[in-house]
Amino acid sequence: MTEFPRPTADAARAPLIATRDLVRRYAIGAATVEALRGASLTIARGEFVAVTGPSGSGKSTLMNILGCLDRPTSGSYQFEGTEIADVDADARAEIRNRRIGFVFQNFNLLARTTAIENVELPLFYGPSPLHAQHARAAQALERVGLAHRAHHVPSQLSGGEQQRVAVARALVNGPDLLLADEPTGNLDSRTSAEIIAMFRELNRTSTLTIVLVTHDPEVAAAADRSVTFRDGRIVGDSAAAATGSRRSAP
Ligand SMILES: Nc1ncnc2c1ncn2[C@@H]1O[C@H](COP(=O)(O)OP(=O)(O)O)[C@@H](O)[C@H]1O
Ligand SMILES: [Mg+2]
């Protein structure tokens, strides 16, 4: 059912994500803002990583680059060993659309469109016939526990249900990487915990690699690894601490 090429042996050995000295500057009139000031980060297939840090520290800028929605001013980003700066727009779009799913704080669902139609949207330009698209969307809704709400429009769904629809839409193409930027930012704490439990389960059962931005320490604690940003730089990484790099200090 999947139409995607299997990773080559080299690609399978490469980390899913490897960034080196990422810099992203924005020009605002005569001024420039340096949103990223040299971020280097390696994430292996199957990891569940939380990205934390104050507002304005560069978290969303990093996510947009990882998702091939934006390009760095300088530095390297390799996705499964492929240098993103070296591939053409079509190949970038292919990675963005097929290999990566996105979830945002505001769900970004089409308002007058049912849950299942929202989930089908990413399949629209793909090769599969309509009935197959429908079956895949139904399957994705089932994975997020929302099969029974397939024909409801967003206004008939709770915030948590709307976010589940958004997760189903992100998963419908069978991505390797799920990027979630403050996915629980608009949810109460109980609903937030349910959504995070679902992420945990998806990570465990389908070896989906997850990178999740959050302000909430409880949400961050649910991840296996926590990376902290400040002023466009990575100032903390629990993986580095766990492998003993701090023990080598005097
Ligand atoms: N499109 C943009 N144009 C200009 N400045 C931007 C843009 N996007 C982000 N910034 C600036 O870059 C910095 C980092 O922003 P962002 O990555 O959104 O931070 P975070 O997600 O951690 O809150 C901030 O100072 C922000 O104002
Ligand atoms: Mg942000």
Side-chain angles (χ1 to χ4, degrees):
M1 194 154 106
T2 49
E3 305 86 359
F4 323 122
R6 299 307 311 154
T8 62
D10 274 355
R13 270 193 296 274
L16 191 64
I17 289 171
T19 79
R20 191 89 216 138
D21 297 328
L22 284 183
V23 172
R24 178 64 166 103
R25 289 188 202 97
Y26 293 108
I28 306 173
T32 47
V33 174
E34 218 167 26
L36 288 179
R37 301 169 183 244
S40 302
L41 181 64
T42 301
I43 296 175
R45 199 173 267 283
E47 280 199 88
F48 183 175
V49 182
V51 174
T52 63
S55 183
S57 58
K59 305 182 298 295
S60 293
T61 301
L62 173 81
M63 296 293 270
N64 292 340
I65 292 172
L66 295 184
C68 304
L69 298 170
D70 185 28
R71 300 168 78 177
T73 307
S74 66
S76 157
Y77 170 30
Q78 295 191 350
F79 181 87
E80 214 174 44
T82 298
E83 182 66 49
I84 295 298
D86 293 345
V87 303
D88 64 18
D90 282 352
R92 260 201 321 280
E94 179 80 9
I95 291 173
R96 180 172 61 233
N97 297 331
R98 299 294 179 103
R99 310 294 305 280
I100 302 175
F102 286 91
V103 180
F104 302 97
Q105 181 168 355
N106 295 320
F107 321 137
N108 292 356
L109 302 176
L110 296 186
R112 286 180 210 79
T113 306
T114 63
I116 193 153
E117 287 164 349
N118 267 284
V119 175
E120 279 174 43
L121 284 176
L123 301 172
F124 193 71
Y125 296 102
S128 29
L130 280 179
H131 66 89
Q133 295 185 7
H134 203 72
R136 281 173 72 171
Q139 220 171 42
L141 274 178
E142 202 167 319
R143 273 176 89 188
V144 301
L146 223 58
H148 60 299
R149 290 278 191 267
H151 300 290
H152 289 61
V153 296
S155 63
Q156 299 170 319
L157 299 172
S158 70
E161 287 172 336
Q162 290 182 57
Q163 193 58 296
R164 283 175 192 267
V165 175
V167 172
R169 182 183 53 189
L171 296 179
V172 75
N173 262 322
D176 301 271
L177 173 64
L178 182 71
L179 297 173
D181 196 345
E182 312 255 14
T184 62
N186 286 353
L187 303 176
D188 62 65
S189 58
R190 209 192 88 208
T191 308
S192 166
E194 288 169 7
I195 293 290
I196 295 307
M198 179 180 72
F199 282 145
R200 275 249 60 112
E201 190 65 8
L202 289 167
N203 172 253
R204 192 178 66 78
T205 56
S206 47
T207 60
L208 182 71
T209 306
I210 300 180
V211 183
L212 177 156
V213 170
T214 183
H215 272 107
D216 183 340
E218 262 180 63
V219 171
D224 297 322
R225 174 180 171 195
S226 182
V227 172
T228 310
F229 272 77
R230 189 174 300 272
D231 298 330
R233 290 193 179 88
I234 294 171
V235 296
D237 185 341
S238 66
T243 53
S245 63
R246 282 176 359 174
R247 254 179 285 143
S248 64

Short mmCIF file of all heavy atoms in Angstrom, two decimals, residues 70-130:
data_model
loop_
_atom_site.label_atom_id
_atom_site.label_comp_id
_atom_site.label_asym_id
_atom_site.label_seq_id
_atom_site.Cartn_x
_atom_site.Cartn_y
_atom_site.Cartn_z
N ASP A 70 11.17 25.81 5.90
CA ASP A 70 12.03 26.99 5.88
C ASP A 70 13.47 26.47 5.70
O ASP A 70 13.74 25.30 5.94
CB ASP A 70 11.89 27.75 7.21
CG ASP A 70 12.68 29.05 7.24
OD1 ASP A 70 12.89 29.65 6.16
OD2 ASP A 70 13.08 29.47 8.35
N ARG A 71 14.35 27.37 5.26
CA ARG A 71 15.74 26.96 5.05
C ARG A 71 16.66 27.82 5.89
O ARG A 71 16.41 29.01 6.07
CB ARG A 71 16.08 27.09 3.57
CG ARG A 71 15.16 26.19 2.75
CD ARG A 71 15.24 26.48 1.28
NE ARG A 71 16.43 25.89 0.70
CZ ARG A 71 16.72 25.94 -0.59
NH1 ARG A 71 15.93 26.61 -1.42
NH2 ARG A 71 17.79 25.36 -1.06
N PRO A 72 17.75 27.22 6.40
CA PRO A 72 18.65 27.99 7.24
C PRO A 72 19.44 29.01 6.43
O PRO A 72 19.63 28.83 5.22
CB PRO A 72 19.59 26.92 7.82
CG PRO A 72 19.55 25.81 6.83
CD PRO A 72 18.18 25.83 6.22
N THR A 73 19.89 30.06 7.09
CA THR A 73 20.79 31.04 6.46
C THR A 73 22.15 30.37 6.20
O THR A 73 22.77 30.56 5.17
CB THR A 73 20.96 32.27 7.38
OG1 THR A 73 19.66 32.76 7.71
CG2 THR A 73 21.78 33.35 6.71
N SER A 74 22.59 29.57 7.17
CA SER A 74 23.81 28.77 6.98
C SER A 74 23.74 27.55 7.89
O SER A 74 22.88 27.47 8.76
CB SER A 74 25.07 29.60 7.26
OG SER A 74 25.11 29.95 8.63
N GLY A 75 24.66 26.64 7.67
CA GLY A 75 24.68 25.41 8.45
C GLY A 75 24.08 24.27 7.66
O GLY A 75 23.57 24.46 6.56
N SER A 76 24.17 23.09 8.23
CA SER A 76 23.80 21.88 7.51
C SER A 76 22.61 21.20 8.18
O SER A 76 22.52 21.15 9.41
CB SER A 76 25.01 20.94 7.50
OG SER A 76 24.60 19.60 7.30
N TYR A 77 21.69 20.70 7.35
CA TYR A 77 20.61 19.85 7.85
C TYR A 77 20.56 18.60 6.98
O TYR A 77 20.29 18.68 5.79
CB TYR A 77 19.27 20.59 7.81
CG TYR A 77 18.06 19.70 8.07
CD1 TYR A 77 18.15 18.57 8.88
CD2 TYR A 77 16.82 19.99 7.52
CE1 TYR A 77 17.05 17.75 9.12
CE2 TYR A 77 15.71 19.18 7.75
CZ TYR A 77 15.83 18.06 8.56
OH TYR A 77 14.75 17.24 8.78
N GLN A 78 20.84 17.46 7.58
CA GLN A 78 20.71 16.20 6.87
C GLN A 78 19.54 15.41 7.42
O GLN A 78 19.45 15.20 8.63
CB GLN A 78 22.00 15.37 7.01
CG GLN A 78 23.18 16.04 6.33
CD GLN A 78 24.39 15.14 6.21
OE1 GLN A 78 24.43 14.05 6.78
NE2 GLN A 78 25.38 15.59 5.47
N PHE A 79 18.65 15.02 6.52
CA PHE A 79 17.54 14.13 6.87
C PHE A 79 17.89 12.75 6.33
O PHE A 79 18.05 12.57 5.13
CB PHE A 79 16.23 14.64 6.25
CG PHE A 79 15.03 13.80 6.59
CD1 PHE A 79 14.30 14.04 7.75
CD2 PHE A 79 14.64 12.76 5.76
CE1 PHE A 79 13.20 13.26 8.08
CE2 PHE A 79 13.54 11.98 6.08
CZ PHE A 79 12.81 12.22 7.24
N GLU A 80 18.08 11.82 7.23
CA GLU A 80 18.45 10.45 6.86
C GLU A 80 19.64 10.44 5.90
O GLU A 80 19.67 9.69 4.93
CB GLU A 80 17.26 9.77 6.20
CG GLU A 80 17.16 8.30 6.49
CD GLU A 80 15.88 7.74 5.91
OE1 GLU A 80 15.54 8.08 4.76
OE2 GLU A 80 15.23 6.97 6.61
N GLY A 81 20.61 11.30 6.20
CA GLY A 81 21.83 11.32 5.41
C GLY A 81 21.77 12.19 4.16
O GLY A 81 22.79 12.38 3.50
N THR A 82 20.61 12.72 3.83
CA THR A 82 20.48 13.59 2.65
C THR A 82 20.63 15.04 3.07
O THR A 82 19.90 15.52 3.94
CB THR A 82 19.10 13.41 1.99
OG1 THR A 82 18.98 12.06 1.56
CG2 THR A 82 18.93 14.34 0.80
N GLU A 83 21.60 15.73 2.45
CA GLU A 83 21.79 17.16 2.74
C GLU A 83 20.66 17.93 2.05
O GLU A 83 20.58 17.98 0.82
CB GLU A 83 23.16 17.60 2.21
CG GLU A 83 23.50 19.05 2.48
CD GLU A 83 23.67 19.37 3.96
OE1 GLU A 83 24.40 18.64 4.67
OE2 GLU A 83 23.06 20.36 4.41
N ILE A 84 19.79 18.51 2.87
CA ILE A 84 18.58 19.13 2.32
C ILE A 84 18.90 20.30 1.39
O ILE A 84 18.22 20.52 0.38
CB ILE A 84 17.64 19.57 3.48
CG1 ILE A 84 17.13 18.35 4.25
CG2 ILE A 84 16.48 20.40 2.96
CD1 ILE A 84 16.30 17.39 3.43
N ALA A 85 19.96 21.03 1.70
CA ALA A 85 20.32 22.18 0.86
C ALA A 85 20.72 21.74 -0.56
O ALA A 85 20.67 22.53 -1.49
CB ALA A 85 21.46 22.96 1.51
N ASP A 86 21.13 20.46 -0.70
CA ASP A 86 21.62 19.99 -2.00
C ASP A 86 20.53 19.40 -2.89
O ASP A 86 20.80 19.07 -4.05
CB ASP A 86 22.70 18.91 -1.80
CG ASP A 86 23.95 19.49 -1.17
OD1 ASP A 86 24.09 20.73 -1.16
OD2 ASP A 86 24.78 18.70 -0.68
N VAL A 87 19.32 19.20 -2.38
CA VAL A 87 18.29 18.58 -3.21
C VAL A 87 17.37 19.65 -3.79
O VAL A 87 17.26 20.75 -3.26
CB VAL A 87 17.48 17.51 -2.44
CG1 VAL A 87 18.40 16.44 -1.88
CG2 VAL A 87 16.64 18.13 -1.34
N ASP A 88 16.72 19.31 -4.92
CA ASP A 88 15.87 20.31 -5.57
C ASP A 88 14.51 20.42 -4.87
O ASP A 88 14.21 19.67 -3.94
CB ASP A 88 15.72 19.99 -7.07
CG ASP A 88 15.01 18.67 -7.32
OD1 ASP A 88 14.35 18.15 -6.40
OD2 ASP A 88 15.14 18.15 -8.44
N ALA A 89 13.74 21.38 -5.31
CA ALA A 89 12.48 21.70 -4.64
C ALA A 89 11.52 20.51 -4.63
O ALA A 89 10.81 20.28 -3.65
CB ALA A 89 11.82 22.91 -5.31
N ASP A 90 11.53 19.72 -5.72
CA ASP A 90 10.64 18.56 -5.78
C ASP A 90 11.00 17.52 -4.72
O ASP A 90 10.14 16.97 -4.05
CB ASP A 90 10.71 17.89 -7.16
CG ASP A 90 9.91 18.66 -8.19
OD1 ASP A 90 9.19 19.61 -7.79
OD2 ASP A 90 10.01 18.31 -9.38
N ALA A 91 12.30 17.28 -4.59
CA ALA A 91 12.75 16.29 -3.61
C ALA A 91 12.48 16.78 -2.19
O ALA A 91 12.11 16.00 -1.31
CB ALA A 91 14.24 16.00 -3.80
N ARG A 92 12.66 18.08 -1.99
CA ARG A 92 12.32 18.66 -0.67
C ARG A 92 10.84 18.50 -0.36
O ARG A 92 10.44 18.14 0.74
CB ARG A 92 12.71 20.14 -0.61
CG ARG A 92 14.03 20.40 0.09
CD ARG A 92 14.18 21.82 0.59
NE ARG A 92 13.66 22.84 -0.31
CZ ARG A 92 14.31 23.29 -1.38
NH1 ARG A 92 15.50 22.83 -1.69
NH2 ARG A 92 13.77 24.21 -2.14
N ALA A 93 10.01 18.78 -1.37
CA ALA A 93 8.56 18.65 -1.17
C ALA A 93 8.18 17.21 -0.88
O ALA A 93 7.31 16.93 -0.05
CB ALA A 93 7.82 19.17 -2.40
N GLU A 94 8.86 16.29 -1.55
CA GLU A 94 8.61 14.87 -1.33
C GLU A 94 8.90 14.48 0.12
O GLU A 94 8.13 13.77 0.77
CB GLU A 94 9.49 14.07 -2.30
CG GLU A 94 9.38 12.57 -2.20
CD GLU A 94 8.15 12.02 -2.92
OE1 GLU A 94 7.49 12.80 -3.64
OE2 GLU A 94 7.85 10.83 -2.73
N ILE A 95 10.05 14.94 0.63
CA ILE A 95 10.40 14.66 2.03
C ILE A 95 9.38 15.31 2.96
O ILE A 95 8.85 14.68 3.87
CB ILE A 95 11.83 15.16 2.34
CG1 ILE A 95 12.85 14.30 1.60
CG2 ILE A 95 12.10 15.14 3.85
CD1 ILE A 95 14.28 14.79 1.69
N ARG A 96 9.06 16.56 2.69
CA ARG A 96 8.13 17.30 3.55
C ARG A 96 6.74 16.63 3.57
O ARG A 96 6.13 16.50 4.61
CB ARG A 96 8.00 18.73 3.03
CG ARG A 96 7.07 19.61 3.84
CD ARG A 96 7.18 21.05 3.36
NE ARG A 96 6.82 21.19 1.97
CZ ARG A 96 7.56 21.78 1.03
NH1 ARG A 96 8.73 22.28 1.32
NH2 ARG A 96 7.13 21.86 -0.21
N ASN A 97 6.29 16.19 2.41
CA ASN A 97 4.91 15.66 2.32
C ASN A 97 4.80 14.19 2.69
O ASN A 97 3.76 13.77 3.19
CB ASN A 97 4.37 15.85 0.90
CG ASN A 97 4.26 17.32 0.53
OD1 ASN A 97 4.07 18.17 1.41
ND2 ASN A 97 4.42 17.62 -0.74
N ARG A 98 5.83 13.42 2.44
CA ARG A 98 5.73 11.97 2.62
C ARG A 98 6.41 11.44 3.86
O ARG A 98 6.02 10.43 4.41
CB ARG A 98 6.34 11.24 1.41
CG ARG A 98 5.67 11.54 0.11
CD ARG A 98 4.25 10.99 0.14
NE ARG A 98 3.56 11.26 -1.09
CZ ARG A 98 3.35 10.36 -2.05
NH1 ARG A 98 3.79 9.15 -1.91
NH2 ARG A 98 2.68 10.69 -3.12
N ARG A 99 7.46 12.11 4.28
CA ARG A 99 8.29 11.55 5.36
C ARG A 99 8.04 12.24 6.69
O ARG A 99 8.44 11.75 7.72
CB ARG A 99 9.79 11.68 5.00
CG ARG A 99 10.15 11.16 3.60
CD ARG A 99 9.95 9.66 3.46
NE ARG A 99 10.67 8.93 4.47
CZ ARG A 99 11.97 8.66 4.42
NH1 ARG A 99 12.70 9.04 3.41
NH2 ARG A 99 12.54 7.99 5.38
N ILE A 100 7.40 13.41 6.62
CA ILE A 100 7.25 14.24 7.82
C ILE A 100 5.80 14.64 8.01
O ILE A 100 5.13 15.01 7.05
CB ILE A 100 8.13 15.51 7.70
CG1 ILE A 100 9.61 15.13 7.49
CG2 ILE A 100 7.98 16.39 8.94
CD1 ILE A 100 10.54 16.29 7.23
N GLY A 101 5.29 14.52 9.24
CA GLY A 101 3.96 15.02 9.57
C GLY A 101 4.08 16.16 10.56
O GLY A 101 4.99 16.18 11.38
N PHE A 102 3.15 17.11 10.48
CA PHE A 102 3.17 18.29 11.35
C PHE A 102 1.91 18.38 12.17
O PHE A 102 0.82 18.15 11.66
CB PHE A 102 3.17 19.57 10.51
CG PHE A 102 4.45 19.85 9.86
CD1 PHE A 102 4.68 19.39 8.59
CD2 PHE A 102 5.41 20.58 10.51
CE1 PHE A 102 5.87 19.63 7.96
CE2 PHE A 102 6.61 20.83 9.89
CZ PHE A 102 6.84 20.36 8.62
N VAL A 103 2.08 18.82 13.42
CA VAL A 103 0.94 19.17 14.25
C VAL A 103 1.25 20.52 14.89
O VAL A 103 2.36 20.74 15.37
CB VAL A 103 0.70 18.11 15.35
CG1 VAL A 103 -0.48 18.48 16.20
CG2 VAL A 103 0.49 16.74 14.72
N PHE A 104 0.25 21.40 14.89
CA PHE A 104 0.44 22.76 15.41
C PHE A 104 -0.49 22.99 16.59
O PHE A 104 -1.45 22.26 16.82
CB PHE A 104 0.15 23.78 14.31
CG PHE A 104 1.00 23.63 13.10
CD1 PHE A 104 0.53 22.93 11.99
CD2 PHE A 104 2.29 24.15 13.06
CE1 PHE A 104 1.32 22.78 10.86
CE2 PHE A 104 3.08 23.99 11.94
CZ PHE A 104 2.60 23.31 10.84
N GLN A 105 -0.23 24.10 17.29
CA GLN A 105 -1.03 24.46 18.46
C GLN A 105 -2.50 24.67 18.10
O GLN A 105 -3.39 24.30 18.85
CB GLN A 105 -0.44 25.74 19.07
CG GLN A 105 -1.17 26.21 20.31
CD GLN A 105 -0.40 27.30 21.04
OE1 GLN A 105 0.73 27.64 20.68
NE2 GLN A 105 -1.01 27.85 22.06
N ASN A 106 -2.74 25.27 16.95
CA ASN A 106 -4.11 25.67 16.60
C ASN A 106 -4.84 24.67 15.71
O ASN A 106 -5.84 25.01 15.09
CB ASN A 106 -4.10 27.04 15.92
CG ASN A 106 -3.61 28.09 16.89
OD1 ASN A 106 -3.98 28.08 18.07
ND2 ASN A 106 -2.76 28.99 16.41
N PHE A 107 -4.36 23.45 15.65
CA PHE A 107 -5.00 22.35 14.93
C PHE A 107 -4.99 22.54 13.40
O PHE A 107 -4.76 21.61 12.66
CB PHE A 107 -6.44 22.08 15.41
CG PHE A 107 -6.63 22.20 16.91
CD1 PHE A 107 -7.74 22.86 17.43
CD2 PHE A 107 -5.70 21.67 17.80
CE1 PHE A 107 -7.92 22.97 18.82
CE2 PHE A 107 -5.87 21.76 19.17
CZ PHE A 107 -6.98 22.42 19.68
N ASN A 108 -5.31 23.80 12.95
CA ASN A 108 -5.30 24.10 11.51
C ASN A 108 -6.17 23.17 10.69
O ASN A 108 -5.77 22.72 9.62
CB ASN A 108 -3.87 24.06 10.94
CG ASN A 108 -3.00 25.18 11.48
OD1 ASN A 108 -3.50 26.04 12.21
ND2 ASN A 108 -1.74 25.19 11.15
N LEU A 109 -7.38 22.90 11.18
CA LEU A 109 -8.33 22.09 10.40
C LEU A 109 -9.21 23.00 9.54
O LEU A 109 -9.46 24.14 9.92
CB LEU A 109 -9.22 21.27 11.34
CG LEU A 109 -8.49 20.31 12.29
CD1 LEU A 109 -9.49 19.64 13.23
CD2 LEU A 109 -7.70 19.28 11.51
N LEU A 110 -9.66 22.49 8.41
CA LEU A 110 -10.63 23.23 7.60
C LEU A 110 -11.99 23.17 8.29
O LEU A 110 -12.48 22.09 8.65
CB LEU A 110 -10.73 22.64 6.19
CG LEU A 110 -9.46 22.73 5.34
CD1 LEU A 110 -9.76 22.23 3.93
CD2 LEU A 110 -8.93 24.16 5.29
N ALA A 111 -12.63 24.33 8.43
CA ALA A 111 -13.80 24.45 9.31
C ALA A 111 -15.04 23.71 8.82
O ALA A 111 -15.69 23.02 9.58
CB ALA A 111 -14.12 25.93 9.54
N ARG A 112 -15.39 23.84 7.57
CA ARG A 112 -16.66 23.25 7.11
C ARG A 112 -16.45 21.87 6.51
O ARG A 112 -17.16 21.45 5.62
CB ARG A 112 -17.34 24.17 6.10
CG ARG A 112 -17.96 25.38 6.77
CD ARG A 112 -18.64 26.30 5.76
NE ARG A 112 -18.59 27.69 6.21
CZ ARG A 112 -17.52 28.47 6.09
NH1 ARG A 112 -16.43 28.04 5.50
NH2 ARG A 112 -17.54 29.71 6.56
N THR A 113 -15.43 21.19 7.01
CA THR A 113 -14.97 19.95 6.41
C THR A 113 -14.96 18.88 7.50
O THR A 113 -14.50 19.16 8.60
CB THR A 113 -13.56 20.20 5.83
OG1 THR A 113 -13.63 21.33 4.98
CG2 THR A 113 -13.04 19.03 5.07
N THR A 114 -15.47 17.71 7.20
CA THR A 114 -15.55 16.67 8.23
C THR A 114 -14.14 16.19 8.62
O THR A 114 -13.17 16.40 7.89
CB THR A 114 -16.35 15.45 7.74
OG1 THR A 114 -15.65 14.88 6.63
CG2 THR A 114 -17.77 15.83 7.34
N ALA A 115 -14.11 15.50 9.76
CA ALA A 115 -12.85 14.97 10.25
C ALA A 115 -12.17 14.12 9.19
O ALA A 115 -10.98 14.30 8.88
CB ALA A 115 -13.09 14.15 11.52
N ILE A 116 -12.91 13.19 8.60
CA ILE A 116 -12.26 12.28 7.65
C ILE A 116 -11.80 13.02 6.40
O ILE A 116 -10.73 12.72 5.85
CB ILE A 116 -13.17 11.07 7.31
CG1 ILE A 116 -12.35 10.01 6.58
CG2 ILE A 116 -14.40 11.46 6.51
CD1 ILE A 116 -12.86 8.60 6.74
N GLU A 117 -12.54 14.03 5.97
CA GLU A 117 -12.10 14.81 4.80
C GLU A 117 -10.85 15.61 5.13
O GLU A 117 -9.96 15.75 4.27
CB GLU A 117 -13.23 15.73 4.33
CG GLU A 117 -14.35 14.98 3.64
CD GLU A 117 -15.63 15.81 3.51
OE1 GLU A 117 -15.73 16.90 4.12
OE2 GLU A 117 -16.53 15.36 2.79
N ASN A 118 -10.77 16.13 6.36
CA ASN A 118 -9.54 16.82 6.77
C ASN A 118 -8.34 15.87 6.71
O ASN A 118 -7.26 16.24 6.27
CB ASN A 118 -9.68 17.38 8.19
CG ASN A 118 -10.18 18.82 8.20
OD1 ASN A 118 -9.43 19.74 7.92
ND2 ASN A 118 -11.45 19.00 8.51
N VAL A 119 -8.55 14.63 7.15
CA VAL A 119 -7.45 13.66 7.19
C VAL A 119 -7.05 13.24 5.77
O VAL A 119 -5.88 12.95 5.50
CB VAL A 119 -7.85 12.44 8.05
CG1 VAL A 119 -6.78 11.37 8.01
CG2 VAL A 119 -8.11 12.88 9.50
N GLU A 120 -8.01 13.24 4.85
CA GLU A 120 -7.73 12.85 3.46
C GLU A 120 -6.93 13.89 2.68
O GLU A 120 -6.31 13.55 1.66
CB GLU A 120 -9.05 12.60 2.70
CG GLU A 120 -9.67 11.25 2.97
CD GLU A 120 -11.04 11.13 2.31
OE1 GLU A 120 -11.21 11.55 1.15
OE2 GLU A 120 -11.94 10.60 2.97
N LEU A 121 -6.94 15.13 3.16
CA LEU A 121 -6.34 16.22 2.36
C LEU A 121 -4.92 15.93 1.87
O LEU A 121 -4.62 16.13 0.70
CB LEU A 121 -6.36 17.53 3.15
CG LEU A 121 -7.72 18.23 3.22
CD1 LEU A 121 -7.62 19.47 4.11
CD2 LEU A 121 -8.21 18.60 1.84
N PRO A 122 -4.00 15.44 2.74
CA PRO A 122 -2.63 15.22 2.26
C PRO A 122 -2.51 14.14 1.19
O PRO A 122 -1.49 14.05 0.52
CB PRO A 122 -1.87 14.78 3.53
CG PRO A 122 -2.73 15.20 4.67
CD PRO A 122 -4.13 15.16 4.18
N LEU A 123 -3.56 13.32 1.02
CA LEU A 123 -3.52 12.24 0.02
C LEU A 123 -4.00 12.73 -1.35
O LEU A 123 -3.86 12.03 -2.35
CB LEU A 123 -4.42 11.08 0.47
CG LEU A 123 -4.07 10.44 1.81
CD1 LEU A 123 -5.15 9.46 2.22
CD2 LEU A 123 -2.72 9.75 1.72
N PHE A 124 -4.55 13.93 -1.37
CA PHE A 124 -5.27 14.40 -2.55
C PHE A 124 -4.41 14.40 -3.81
O PHE A 124 -4.88 14.04 -4.88
CB PHE A 124 -5.80 15.81 -2.27
CG PHE A 124 -6.80 16.28 -3.27
CD1 PHE A 124 -8.07 15.72 -3.31
CD2 PHE A 124 -6.47 17.26 -4.18
CE1 PHE A 124 -9.00 16.14 -4.24
CE2 PHE A 124 -7.40 17.69 -5.12
CZ PHE A 124 -8.67 17.13 -5.15
N TYR A 125 -3.15 14.79 -3.67
CA TYR A 125 -2.28 14.86 -4.85
C TYR A 125 -1.49 13.57 -5.07
O TYR A 125 -0.70 13.49 -5.99
CB TYR A 125 -1.33 16.06 -4.74
CG TYR A 125 -2.09 17.36 -4.74
CD1 TYR A 125 -2.32 18.06 -3.58
CD2 TYR A 125 -2.61 17.85 -5.93
CE1 TYR A 125 -3.05 19.23 -3.58
CE2 TYR A 125 -3.35 19.02 -5.95
CZ TYR A 125 -3.57 19.71 -4.77
OH TYR A 125 -4.30 20.86 -4.78
N GLY A 126 -1.73 12.59 -4.22
CA GLY A 126 -1.01 11.33 -4.35
C GLY A 126 -1.64 10.45 -5.42
O GLY A 126 -2.65 10.79 -6.02
N PRO A 127 -1.03 9.28 -5.64
CA PRO A 127 -1.46 8.41 -6.74
C PRO A 127 -2.65 7.50 -6.40
O PRO A 127 -3.24 6.93 -7.31
CB PRO A 127 -0.21 7.56 -6.99
CG PRO A 127 0.46 7.50 -5.66
CD PRO A 127 0.13 8.78 -4.95
N SER A 128 -3.00 7.38 -5.10
CA SER A 128 -3.99 6.34 -4.80
C SER A 128 -5.41 6.78 -5.18
O SER A 128 -5.75 7.96 -5.08
CB SER A 128 -3.93 5.91 -3.34
OG SER A 128 -3.50 6.95 -2.51
N PRO A 129 -6.23 5.82 -5.63
CA PRO A 129 -7.61 6.13 -6.00
C PRO A 129 -8.42 6.58 -4.77
O PRO A 129 -8.03 6.30 -3.64
CB PRO A 129 -8.13 4.81 -6.56
CG PRO A 129 -7.20 3.76 -6.08
CD PRO A 129 -5.89 4.42 -5.82
N LEU A 130 -9.53 7.26 -5.04
CA LEU A 130 -10.31 7.86 -3.95
C LEU A 130 -10.72 6.88 -2.87
O LEU A 130 -10.63 7.18 -1.68
CB LEU A 130 -11.56 8.54 -4.53
CG LEU A 130 -11.31 9.92 -5.12
CD1 LEU A 130 -12.62 10.48 -5.68
CD2 LEU A 130 -10.73 10.87 -4.09
#
